[in-house]
Amino acid sequence: MAIANKQIVYSKTPAPAIDPSLTDGTFAVKNTSIAEPIPDDKVLVRVHYLSLDPAMRQWLTATRSYIAPVLIGDVMRSNSVAQIVSVGSSLKNEFKTGEWLVASTGWQEYALLTAKEAKAQRVVVPPGCTPTDAMSVLGLTGLTAYFGLLEVGKVKPGDTVVVSGAAGATGMVAGQIAKIKGAKRVVGLAGSPDKCKFLTEELGFDTAINYKDKDWRKQLKAACPEYINVYFDNVGGEILDACLALAAPFSRFAICGHISQYSAAKPEGPRSIMMIIGQRVTMQGFIVFDYAKQYPAALKELGQWLVEGKIKRKEHIIKGGLEACPQGLVDLYAGVNTGKMMVELAPLSQAIQSNLGEKL
Amino acid sequence: MAIANKQIVYSKTPAPAIDPSLTDGTFAVKNTSIAEPIPDDKVLVRVHYLSLDPAMRQWLTATRSYIAPVLIGDVMRSNSVAQIVSVGSSLKNEFKTGEWLVASTGWQEYALLTAKEAKAQRVVVPPGCTPTDAMSVLGLTGLTAYFGLLEVGKVKPGDTVVVSGAAGATGMVAGQIAKIKGAKRVVGLAGSPDKCKFLTEELGFDTAINYKDKDWRKQLKAACPEYINVYFDNVGGEILDACLALAAPFSRFAICGHISQYSAAKPEGPRSIMMIIGQRVTMQGFIVFDYAKQYPAALKELGQWLVEGKIKRKEHIIKGGLEACPQGLVDLYAGVNTGKMMVELAPLSQAIQSNLGEKL
């Protein structure tokens, strides 16, 4: 017996933009299978939701980085919300079918995980929350917002906080945490009027600016009459430059992502870099993994805020199965999504059973 | 009675480079005088040595900064080594003629100072040191190196430390402190073979690279096989970019100056800014004034190192009096100097008496 397992593999180096075509593009479909019974020391998971993340473009380039690049021929790396559908014979006491995980399965329908991989990623969410929360507000994007704003940005009551990519999975949580922590002004930058409306009307941002407006720099200046104390940067490029020009003395710039530059043939540096001296700016890049020891406490707080409604969630779910991933990634870089972008391979209603009770 | 007092005033906005001509350039000569007897509540100082500093170009531009700009018509701002030559009648118990100060007199031959201004700037140097030391290693440039490397750069034993503008007044002290603190490799960038020789042979830098060499980036990479833990930046531009590309994980970039960019019509940002995330770089701008409370302890340590020969001094003294200042400043930006650049208005041998004993 064998289970059919479709995969999407990295096929061709982007030059520099991702080509979503599955016939001659950056990625290709590969049909494989997993033999049954599965190995004694493995669990088999079925992937329900695949995460699409801005960092992915970087993983396709062999630069010196915090993580090894994905190599041509590899299944594309990705986190996913997955459910255990079969447990190897030696692991029956440790796992049961129906358990939910957020695991680095990559772009495929099924994956075999070691006990260690599976254990580290068990989904624990508060009542009322869903497995997909564990991949957004209660997952790496929420944690990234949390540590970026609190540990790197060191937000204080009264601060003016600017968030770019504010309608994205990380940005929207960062802005909401800033409000929770007493920021005087939270200003979000996003790429459409709808997104801006969502930020101010749904999430409580004080101002939202469409960076596609011609006068966005002017709007940003007007929104920050006491300059910027904390900038949470998801985009780099022109917006980072504009925020540096508006930096308040002793401000903190938490550099989380550079989505505007990932596919740029010639990345641009911020021309206002000299402000870093006059205003004594601290600009710090960070990776959420460095705060792993503090995840449990952070997740407890994020979970509480989510349940209390102080943080609102927003998912952007792409239907169309595995084949929709490459185009979804292109859309992510084009800024199509509001909230956490994921690709549905199998809805939660198809789950075989659950450790999360009736709520599903 | 009156004392003739020549001044150099700011005359015309640079566009963007400083024009050293005294007839139709950035600065102009102004002949004034100071009435005698001087006011009861003032001291009169004679300027012996004027400091030329990279920050000066920035003071001529009305951008938002840590310090107010110099305005057209003002005497050009500058620190100087000056000696009290006359004391107002109400201050006779507080000051005596012959005392040395490092004061913000500006580009002029004489200046009247309040008691407060004069008190804050009394020169206290260890035996064997001179008043001009109080304007370099034991003054703001030495303190800038000290706090930049220790408080911002957080240098640790075993680190690879890169210093740009390494043959300048601040850079040469920064590199020497790095060695004292146990850095494994100290690499300096400077603009001539002579400067490079000076850094390695006189000051103990492990490697010195002439950034005018075509292959300087290659040389820098070779000099930092374990990447860069601390970068002390005096220049910005291309060299900051190259150092970011070579940043070690969790490295500290102490941003002290951007001399390569001050007169640039179109400043350039570092294209390798994305490394800040992957390598979790902390890039921090600083101004020495923010550490004023820690000056006494720092000066004690710097003085000890200087007396023990662990830090070597180097002065680049320009003769030619006040009129030599504008060209001196142009030369500073062209990188003509090795060590602390100052303009001599009156040699120490012309001092009227001294509180520093026989050593002068």
mmCIF file with all atom_site columns, all heavy atoms in Angstrom, chain B residues 45 47 49-50 78-82 100-106 111 113 117-118 121-123 135:
data_model
loop_
_atom_site.group_PDB
_atom_site.id
_atom_site.type_symbol
_atom_site.label_atom_id
_atom_site.label_alt_id
_atom_site.label_comp_id
_atom_site.label_asym_id
_atom_site.label_entity_id
_atom_site.label_seq_id
_atom_site.pdbx_PDB_ins_code
_atom_site.Cartn_x
_atom_site.Cartn_y
_atom_site.Cartn_z
_atom_site.occupancy
_atom_site.B_iso_or_equiv
_atom_site.pdbx_formal_charge
_atom_site.auth_seq_id
_atom_site.auth_comp_id
_atom_site.auth_asym_id
_atom_site.auth_atom_id
_atom_site.pdbx_PDB_model_num
ATOM 1   N N   . VAL B 1 45  ? 39.996 84.716 26.712 1.00 0.00 ? 45  VAL B N   1
ATOM 2   C CA  . VAL B 1 45  ? 40.951 83.663 26.356 1.00 0.00 ? 45  VAL B CA  1
ATOM 3   C C   . VAL B 1 45  ? 41.580 83.964 25.002 1.00 0.00 ? 45  VAL B C   1
ATOM 4   O O   . VAL B 1 45  ? 40.952 84.549 24.116 1.00 0.00 ? 45  VAL B O   1
ATOM 5   C CB  . VAL B 1 45  ? 40.297 82.258 26.310 1.00 0.00 ? 45  VAL B CB  1
ATOM 6   C CG1 . VAL B 1 45  ? 39.734 81.878 27.683 1.00 0.00 ? 45  VAL B CG1 1
ATOM 7   C CG2 . VAL B 1 45  ? 39.223 82.157 25.235 1.00 0.00 ? 45  VAL B CG2 1
ATOM 8   N N   . VAL B 1 47  ? 43.125 82.101 21.766 1.00 0.00 ? 47  VAL B N   1
ATOM 9   C CA  . VAL B 1 47  ? 43.050 80.794 21.118 1.00 0.00 ? 47  VAL B CA  1
ATOM 10  C C   . VAL B 1 47  ? 44.433 80.404 20.600 1.00 0.00 ? 47  VAL B C   1
ATOM 11  O O   . VAL B 1 47  ? 45.063 81.175 19.869 1.00 0.00 ? 47  VAL B O   1
ATOM 12  C CB  . VAL B 1 47  ? 42.032 80.822 19.959 1.00 0.00 ? 47  VAL B CB  1
ATOM 13  C CG1 . VAL B 1 47  ? 42.063 79.499 19.203 1.00 0.00 ? 47  VAL B CG1 1
ATOM 14  C CG2 . VAL B 1 47  ? 40.637 81.123 20.489 1.00 0.00 ? 47  VAL B CG2 1
ATOM 15  N N   . TYR B 1 49  ? 45.034 76.747 19.539 1.00 0.00 ? 49  TYR B N   1
ATOM 16  C CA  . TYR B 1 49  ? 44.811 75.705 18.527 1.00 0.00 ? 49  TYR B CA  1
ATOM 17  C C   . TYR B 1 49  ? 43.319 75.524 18.299 1.00 0.00 ? 49  TYR B C   1
ATOM 18  O O   . TYR B 1 49  ? 42.567 75.313 19.246 1.00 0.00 ? 49  TYR B O   1
ATOM 19  C CB  . TYR B 1 49  ? 45.427 74.368 18.968 1.00 0.00 ? 49  TYR B CB  1
ATOM 20  C CG  . TYR B 1 49  ? 46.933 74.419 18.986 1.00 0.00 ? 49  TYR B CG  1
ATOM 21  C CD1 . TYR B 1 49  ? 47.619 74.816 20.128 1.00 0.00 ? 49  TYR B CD1 1
ATOM 22  C CD2 . TYR B 1 49  ? 47.659 74.118 17.837 1.00 0.00 ? 49  TYR B CD2 1
ATOM 23  C CE1 . TYR B 1 49  ? 49.004 74.905 20.137 1.00 0.00 ? 49  TYR B CE1 1
ATOM 24  C CE2 . TYR B 1 49  ? 49.041 74.205 17.831 1.00 0.00 ? 49  TYR B CE2 1
ATOM 25  C CZ  . TYR B 1 49  ? 49.709 74.597 18.975 1.00 0.00 ? 49  TYR B CZ  1
ATOM 26  O OH  . TYR B 1 49  ? 51.068 74.684 18.972 1.00 0.00 ? 49  TYR B OH  1
ATOM 27  N N   . LEU B 1 50  ? 42.922 75.590 17.047 1.00 0.00 ? 50  LEU B N   1
ATOM 28  C CA  . LEU B 1 50  ? 41.520 75.357 16.686 1.00 0.00 ? 50  LEU B CA  1
ATOM 29  C C   . LEU B 1 50  ? 41.357 73.930 16.187 1.00 0.00 ? 50  LEU B C   1
ATOM 30  O O   . LEU B 1 50  ? 42.185 73.426 15.422 1.00 0.00 ? 50  LEU B O   1
ATOM 31  C CB  . LEU B 1 50  ? 41.106 76.318 15.570 1.00 0.00 ? 50  LEU B CB  1
ATOM 32  C CG  . LEU B 1 50  ? 40.816 77.749 16.012 1.00 0.00 ? 50  LEU B CG  1
ATOM 33  C CD1 . LEU B 1 50  ? 40.793 78.668 14.799 1.00 0.00 ? 50  LEU B CD1 1
ATOM 34  C CD2 . LEU B 1 50  ? 39.493 77.818 16.760 1.00 0.00 ? 50  LEU B CD2 1
ATOM 35  N N   . SER B 1 78  ? 33.688 76.076 16.647 1.00 0.00 ? 78  SER B N   1
ATOM 36  C CA  . SER B 1 78  ? 34.845 75.187 16.753 1.00 0.00 ? 78  SER B CA  1
ATOM 37  C C   . SER B 1 78  ? 35.309 75.128 18.192 1.00 0.00 ? 78  SER B C   1
ATOM 38  O O   . SER B 1 78  ? 35.225 76.116 18.916 1.00 0.00 ? 78  SER B O   1
ATOM 39  C CB  . SER B 1 78  ? 35.992 75.712 15.894 1.00 0.00 ? 78  SER B CB  1
ATOM 40  O OG  . SER B 1 78  ? 37.200 75.054 16.216 1.00 0.00 ? 78  SER B OG  1
ATOM 41  N N   . ASN B 1 79  ? 35.778 73.986 18.583 1.00 0.00 ? 79  ASN B N   1
ATOM 42  C CA  . ASN B 1 79  ? 36.500 73.894 19.853 1.00 0.00 ? 79  ASN B CA  1
ATOM 43  C C   . ASN B 1 79  ? 37.912 74.422 19.665 1.00 0.00 ? 79  ASN B C   1
ATOM 44  O O   . ASN B 1 79  ? 38.445 74.412 18.557 1.00 0.00 ? 79  ASN B O   1
ATOM 45  C CB  . ASN B 1 79  ? 36.592 72.436 20.319 1.00 0.00 ? 79  ASN B CB  1
ATOM 46  C CG  . ASN B 1 79  ? 35.484 72.097 21.297 1.00 0.00 ? 79  ASN B CG  1
ATOM 47  O OD1 . ASN B 1 79  ? 34.798 72.982 21.809 1.00 0.00 ? 79  ASN B OD1 1
ATOM 48  N ND2 . ASN B 1 79  ? 35.328 70.813 21.561 1.00 0.00 ? 79  ASN B ND2 1
ATOM 49  N N   . SER B 1 80  ? 38.494 74.841 20.760 1.00 0.00 ? 80  SER B N   1
ATOM 50  C CA  . SER B 1 80  ? 39.892 75.242 20.662 1.00 0.00 ? 80  SER B CA  1
ATOM 51  C C   . SER B 1 80  ? 40.613 75.041 21.986 1.00 0.00 ? 80  SER B C   1
ATOM 52  O O   . SER B 1 80  ? 39.995 74.937 23.046 1.00 0.00 ? 80  SER B O   1
ATOM 53  C CB  . SER B 1 80  ? 39.997 76.707 20.247 1.00 0.00 ? 80  SER B CB  1
ATOM 54  O OG  . SER B 1 80  ? 39.528 77.524 21.288 1.00 0.00 ? 80  SER B OG  1
ATOM 55  N N   . VAL B 1 81  ? 41.919 74.957 21.885 1.00 0.00 ? 81  VAL B N   1
ATOM 56  C CA  . VAL B 1 81  ? 42.777 75.007 23.069 1.00 0.00 ? 81  VAL B CA  1
ATOM 57  C C   . VAL B 1 81  ? 43.108 76.482 23.280 1.00 0.00 ? 81  VAL B C   1
ATOM 58  O O   . VAL B 1 81  ? 43.687 77.122 22.390 1.00 0.00 ? 81  VAL B O   1
ATOM 59  C CB  . VAL B 1 81  ? 44.064 74.206 22.840 1.00 0.00 ? 81  VAL B CB  1
ATOM 60  C CG1 . VAL B 1 81  ? 45.027 74.399 24.008 1.00 0.00 ? 81  VAL B CG1 1
ATOM 61  C CG2 . VAL B 1 81  ? 43.747 72.737 22.631 1.00 0.00 ? 81  VAL B CG2 1
ATOM 62  N N   . ALA B 1 82  ? 42.692 76.998 24.407 1.00 0.00 ? 82  ALA B N   1
ATOM 63  C CA  . ALA B 1 82  ? 42.822 78.433 24.644 1.00 0.00 ? 82  ALA B CA  1
ATOM 64  C C   . ALA B 1 82  ? 43.344 78.679 26.051 1.00 0.00 ? 82  ALA B C   1
ATOM 65  O O   . ALA B 1 82  ? 43.218 77.838 26.950 1.00 0.00 ? 82  ALA B O   1
ATOM 66  C CB  . ALA B 1 82  ? 41.462 79.101 24.453 1.00 0.00 ? 82  ALA B CB  1
ATOM 67  N N   . TRP B 1 100 ? 44.591 76.860 31.206 1.00 0.00 ? 100 TRP B N   1
ATOM 68  C CA  . TRP B 1 100 ? 44.237 76.349 29.877 1.00 0.00 ? 100 TRP B CA  1
ATOM 69  C C   . TRP B 1 100 ? 42.806 75.825 29.858 1.00 0.00 ? 100 TRP B C   1
ATOM 70  O O   . TRP B 1 100 ? 42.331 75.218 30.822 1.00 0.00 ? 100 TRP B O   1
ATOM 71  C CB  . TRP B 1 100 ? 45.181 75.219 29.473 1.00 0.00 ? 100 TRP B CB  1
ATOM 72  C CG  . TRP B 1 100 ? 46.552 75.721 29.147 1.00 0.00 ? 100 TRP B CG  1
ATOM 73  C CD1 . TRP B 1 100 ? 47.631 75.766 29.991 1.00 0.00 ? 100 TRP B CD1 1
ATOM 74  C CD2 . TRP B 1 100 ? 46.984 76.287 27.904 1.00 0.00 ? 100 TRP B CD2 1
ATOM 75  N NE1 . TRP B 1 100 ? 48.717 76.310 29.361 1.00 0.00 ? 100 TRP B NE1 1
ATOM 76  C CE2 . TRP B 1 100 ? 48.349 76.643 28.072 1.00 0.00 ? 100 TRP B CE2 1
ATOM 77  C CE3 . TRP B 1 100 ? 46.367 76.523 26.680 1.00 0.00 ? 100 TRP B CE3 1
ATOM 78  C CZ2 . TRP B 1 100 ? 49.096 77.222 27.045 1.00 0.00 ? 100 TRP B CZ2 1
ATOM 79  C CZ3 . TRP B 1 100 ? 47.107 77.087 25.659 1.00 0.00 ? 100 TRP B CZ3 1
ATOM 80  C CH2 . TRP B 1 100 ? 48.467 77.448 25.844 1.00 0.00 ? 100 TRP B CH2 1
ATOM 81  N N   . LEU B 1 101 ? 42.149 76.052 28.766 1.00 0.00 ? 101 LEU B N   1
ATOM 82  C CA  . LEU B 1 101 ? 40.784 75.569 28.571 1.00 0.00 ? 101 LEU B CA  1
ATOM 83  C C   . LEU B 1 101 ? 40.683 74.907 27.199 1.00 0.00 ? 101 LEU B C   1
ATOM 84  O O   . LEU B 1 101 ? 41.425 75.258 26.285 1.00 0.00 ? 101 LEU B O   1
ATOM 85  C CB  . LEU B 1 101 ? 39.776 76.729 28.587 1.00 0.00 ? 101 LEU B CB  1
ATOM 86  C CG  . LEU B 1 101 ? 39.830 77.725 29.743 1.00 0.00 ? 101 LEU B CG  1
ATOM 87  C CD1 . LEU B 1 101 ? 38.876 78.890 29.448 1.00 0.00 ? 101 LEU B CD1 1
ATOM 88  C CD2 . LEU B 1 101 ? 39.446 77.039 31.042 1.00 0.00 ? 101 LEU B CD2 1
ATOM 89  N N   . VAL B 1 102 ? 39.716 73.970 27.089 1.00 0.00 ? 102 VAL B N   1
ATOM 90  C CA  . VAL B 1 102 ? 39.258 73.577 25.758 1.00 0.00 ? 102 VAL B CA  1
ATOM 91  C C   . VAL B 1 102 ? 37.848 74.119 25.657 1.00 0.00 ? 102 VAL B C   1
ATOM 92  O O   . VAL B 1 102 ? 36.948 73.650 26.351 1.00 0.00 ? 102 VAL B O   1
ATOM 93  C CB  . VAL B 1 102 ? 39.280 72.052 25.554 1.00 0.00 ? 102 VAL B CB  1
ATOM 94  C CG1 . VAL B 1 102 ? 38.599 71.692 24.231 1.00 0.00 ? 102 VAL B CG1 1
ATOM 95  C CG2 . VAL B 1 102 ? 40.710 71.548 25.532 1.00 0.00 ? 102 VAL B CG2 1
ATOM 96  N N   . ALA B 1 103 ? 37.672 75.144 24.882 1.00 0.00 ? 103 ALA B N   1
ATOM 97  C CA  . ALA B 1 103 ? 36.393 75.852 24.884 1.00 0.00 ? 103 ALA B CA  1
ATOM 98  C C   . ALA B 1 103 ? 35.850 75.972 23.464 1.00 0.00 ? 103 ALA B C   1
ATOM 99  O O   . ALA B 1 103 ? 36.590 75.904 22.486 1.00 0.00 ? 103 ALA B O   1
ATOM 100 C CB  . ALA B 1 103 ? 36.570 77.240 25.481 1.00 0.00 ? 103 ALA B CB  1
ATOM 101 N N   . SER B 1 104 ? 34.538 76.153 23.383 1.00 0.00 ? 104 SER B N   1
ATOM 102 C CA  . SER B 1 104 ? 33.915 76.354 22.077 1.00 0.00 ? 104 SER B CA  1
ATOM 103 C C   . SER B 1 104 ? 34.007 77.838 21.724 1.00 0.00 ? 104 SER B C   1
ATOM 104 O O   . SER B 1 104 ? 33.047 78.582 21.818 1.00 0.00 ? 104 SER B O   1
ATOM 105 C CB  . SER B 1 104 ? 32.458 75.895 22.113 1.00 0.00 ? 104 SER B CB  1
ATOM 106 O OG  . SER B 1 104 ? 31.876 76.071 20.839 1.00 0.00 ? 104 SER B OG  1
ATOM 107 N N   . THR B 1 105 ? 35.186 78.249 21.314 1.00 0.00 ? 105 THR B N   1
ATOM 108 C CA  . THR B 1 105 ? 35.398 79.666 21.021 1.00 0.00 ? 105 THR B CA  1
ATOM 109 C C   . THR B 1 105 ? 34.967 80.037 19.613 1.00 0.00 ? 105 THR B C   1
ATOM 110 O O   . THR B 1 105 ? 34.660 81.185 19.335 1.00 0.00 ? 105 THR B O   1
ATOM 111 C CB  . THR B 1 105 ? 36.898 80.008 21.113 1.00 0.00 ? 105 THR B CB  1
ATOM 112 O OG1 . THR B 1 105 ? 37.606 79.180 20.181 1.00 0.00 ? 105 THR B OG1 1
ATOM 113 C CG2 . THR B 1 105 ? 37.431 79.778 22.506 1.00 0.00 ? 105 THR B CG2 1
ATOM 114 N N   . GLY B 1 106 ? 34.994 79.077 18.714 1.00 0.00 ? 106 GLY B N   1
ATOM 115 C CA  . GLY B 1 106 ? 34.793 79.384 17.298 1.00 0.00 ? 106 GLY B CA  1
ATOM 116 C C   . GLY B 1 106 ? 36.097 79.847 16.672 1.00 0.00 ? 106 GLY B C   1
ATOM 117 O O   . GLY B 1 106 ? 37.135 79.990 17.353 1.00 0.00 ? 106 GLY B O   1
ATOM 118 N N   . ALA B 1 111 ? 38.374 85.146 22.648 1.00 0.00 ? 111 ALA B N   1
ATOM 119 C CA  . ALA B 1 111 ? 36.953 84.990 22.962 1.00 0.00 ? 111 ALA B CA  1
ATOM 120 C C   . ALA B 1 111 ? 36.703 85.353 24.407 1.00 0.00 ? 111 ALA B C   1
ATOM 121 O O   . ALA B 1 111 ? 37.563 85.130 25.279 1.00 0.00 ? 111 ALA B O   1
ATOM 122 C CB  . ALA B 1 111 ? 36.505 83.564 22.691 1.00 0.00 ? 111 ALA B CB  1
ATOM 123 N N   . LEU B 1 113 ? 34.479 84.471 27.614 1.00 0.00 ? 113 LEU B N   1
ATOM 124 C CA  . LEU B 1 113 ? 33.669 83.350 28.100 1.00 0.00 ? 113 LEU B CA  1
ATOM 125 C C   . LEU B 1 113 ? 33.042 83.707 29.435 1.00 0.00 ? 113 LEU B C   1
ATOM 126 O O   . LEU B 1 113 ? 33.637 84.445 30.234 1.00 0.00 ? 113 LEU B O   1
ATOM 127 C CB  . LEU B 1 113 ? 34.532 82.101 28.285 1.00 0.00 ? 113 LEU B CB  1
ATOM 128 C CG  . LEU B 1 113 ? 35.332 81.598 27.080 1.00 0.00 ? 113 LEU B CG  1
ATOM 129 C CD1 . LEU B 1 113 ? 36.145 80.365 27.488 1.00 0.00 ? 113 LEU B CD1 1
ATOM 130 C CD2 . LEU B 1 113 ? 34.404 81.239 25.927 1.00 0.00 ? 113 LEU B CD2 1
ATOM 131 N N   . GLU B 1 117 ? 30.973 78.775 31.278 1.00 0.00 ? 117 GLU B N   1
ATOM 132 C CA  . GLU B 1 117 ? 31.628 78.204 30.096 1.00 0.00 ? 117 GLU B CA  1
ATOM 133 C C   . GLU B 1 117 ? 33.088 77.848 30.395 1.00 0.00 ? 117 GLU B C   1
ATOM 134 O O   . GLU B 1 117 ? 33.586 76.799 29.992 1.00 0.00 ? 117 GLU B O   1
ATOM 135 C CB  . GLU B 1 117 ? 31.595 79.206 28.934 1.00 0.00 ? 117 GLU B CB  1
ATOM 136 C CG  . GLU B 1 117 ? 30.227 79.352 28.270 1.00 0.00 ? 117 GLU B CG  1
ATOM 137 C CD  . GLU B 1 117 ? 30.146 80.587 27.360 1.00 0.00 ? 117 GLU B CD  1
ATOM 138 O OE1 . GLU B 1 117 ? 31.039 81.463 27.433 1.00 0.00 ? 117 GLU B OE1 1
ATOM 139 O OE2 . GLU B 1 117 ? 29.193 80.659 26.589 1.00 0.00 ? 117 GLU B OE2 1
ATOM 140 N N   . ALA B 1 118 ? 33.742 78.731 31.096 1.00 0.00 ? 118 ALA B N   1
ATOM 141 C CA  . ALA B 1 118 ? 35.162 78.522 31.365 1.00 0.00 ? 118 ALA B CA  1
ATOM 142 C C   . ALA B 1 118 ? 35.393 77.385 32.353 1.00 0.00 ? 118 ALA B C   1
ATOM 143 O O   . ALA B 1 118 ? 36.315 76.577 32.195 1.00 0.00 ? 118 ALA B O   1
ATOM 144 C CB  . ALA B 1 118 ? 35.786 79.817 31.889 1.00 0.00 ? 118 ALA B CB  1
ATOM 145 N N   . GLN B 1 121 ? 35.284 73.702 31.147 1.00 0.00 ? 121 GLN B N   1
ATOM 146 C CA  . GLN B 1 121 ? 36.237 73.302 30.124 1.00 0.00 ? 121 GLN B CA  1
ATOM 147 C C   . GLN B 1 121 ? 37.687 73.367 30.573 1.00 0.00 ? 121 GLN B C   1
ATOM 148 O O   . GLN B 1 121 ? 38.587 73.372 29.748 1.00 0.00 ? 121 GLN B O   1
ATOM 149 C CB  . GLN B 1 121 ? 36.052 74.222 28.900 1.00 0.00 ? 121 GLN B CB  1
ATOM 150 C CG  . GLN B 1 121 ? 34.632 74.301 28.400 1.00 0.00 ? 121 GLN B CG  1
ATOM 151 C CD  . GLN B 1 121 ? 34.194 73.028 27.703 1.00 0.00 ? 121 GLN B CD  1
ATOM 152 O OE1 . GLN B 1 121 ? 35.024 72.184 27.400 1.00 0.00 ? 121 GLN B OE1 1
ATOM 153 N NE2 . GLN B 1 121 ? 32.920 72.870 27.460 1.00 0.00 ? 121 GLN B NE2 1
ATOM 154 N N   . ARG B 1 122 ? 37.897 73.476 31.892 1.00 0.00 ? 122 ARG B N   1
ATOM 155 C CA  . ARG B 1 122 ? 39.283 73.551 32.357 1.00 0.00 ? 122 ARG B CA  1
ATOM 156 C C   . ARG B 1 122 ? 40.058 72.310 31.945 1.00 0.00 ? 122 ARG B C   1
ATOM 157 O O   . ARG B 1 122 ? 39.572 71.190 32.070 1.00 0.00 ? 122 ARG B O   1
ATOM 158 C CB  . ARG B 1 122 ? 39.299 73.638 33.877 1.00 0.00 ? 122 ARG B CB  1
ATOM 159 C CG  . ARG B 1 122 ? 39.283 75.061 34.368 1.00 0.00 ? 122 ARG B CG  1
ATOM 160 C CD  . ARG B 1 122 ? 39.295 75.067 35.882 1.00 0.00 ? 122 ARG B CD  1
ATOM 161 N NE  . ARG B 1 122 ? 39.559 76.405 36.395 1.00 0.00 ? 122 ARG B NE  1
ATOM 162 C CZ  . ARG B 1 122 ? 38.822 76.988 37.334 1.00 0.00 ? 122 ARG B CZ  1
ATOM 163 N NH1 . ARG B 1 122 ? 37.790 76.364 37.871 1.00 0.00 ? 122 ARG B NH1 1
ATOM 164 N NH2 . ARG B 1 122 ? 39.133 78.191 37.756 1.00 0.00 ? 122 ARG B NH2 1
ATOM 165 N N   . VAL B 1 123 ? 41.233 72.501 31.479 1.00 0.00 ? 123 VAL B N   1
ATOM 166 C CA  . VAL B 1 123 ? 42.050 71.381 31.036 1.00 0.00 ? 123 VAL B CA  1
ATOM 167 C C   . VAL B 1 123 ? 42.719 70.723 32.229 1.00 0.00 ? 123 VAL B C   1
ATOM 168 O O   . VAL B 1 123 ? 43.422 71.375 32.997 1.00 0.00 ? 123 VAL B O   1
ATOM 169 C CB  . VAL B 1 123 ? 43.118 71.867 30.038 1.00 0.00 ? 123 VAL B CB  1
ATOM 170 C CG1 . VAL B 1 123 ? 44.220 70.834 29.878 1.00 0.00 ? 123 VAL B CG1 1
ATOM 171 C CG2 . VAL B 1 123 ? 42.469 72.169 28.691 1.00 0.00 ? 123 VAL B CG2 1
ATOM 172 N N   . MET B 1 135 ? 42.336 68.160 23.594 1.00 0.00 ? 135 MET B N   1
ATOM 173 C CA  . MET B 1 135 ? 41.422 68.340 22.461 1.00 0.00 ? 135 MET B CA  1
ATOM 174 C C   . MET B 1 135 ? 41.458 67.114 21.543 1.00 0.00 ? 135 MET B C   1
ATOM 175 O O   . MET B 1 135 ? 40.766 67.085 20.533 1.00 0.00 ? 135 MET B O   1
ATOM 176 C CB  . MET B 1 135 ? 41.791 69.606 21.675 1.00 0.00 ? 135 MET B CB  1
ATOM 177 C CG  . MET B 1 135 ? 40.632 70.194 20.894 1.00 0.00 ? 135 MET B CG  1
ATOM 178 S SD  . MET B 1 135 ? 40.952 71.887 20.345 1.00 0.00 ? 135 MET B SD  1
ATOM 179 C CE  . MET B 1 135 ? 42.235 71.655 19.131 1.00 0.00 ? 135 MET B CE  1
#
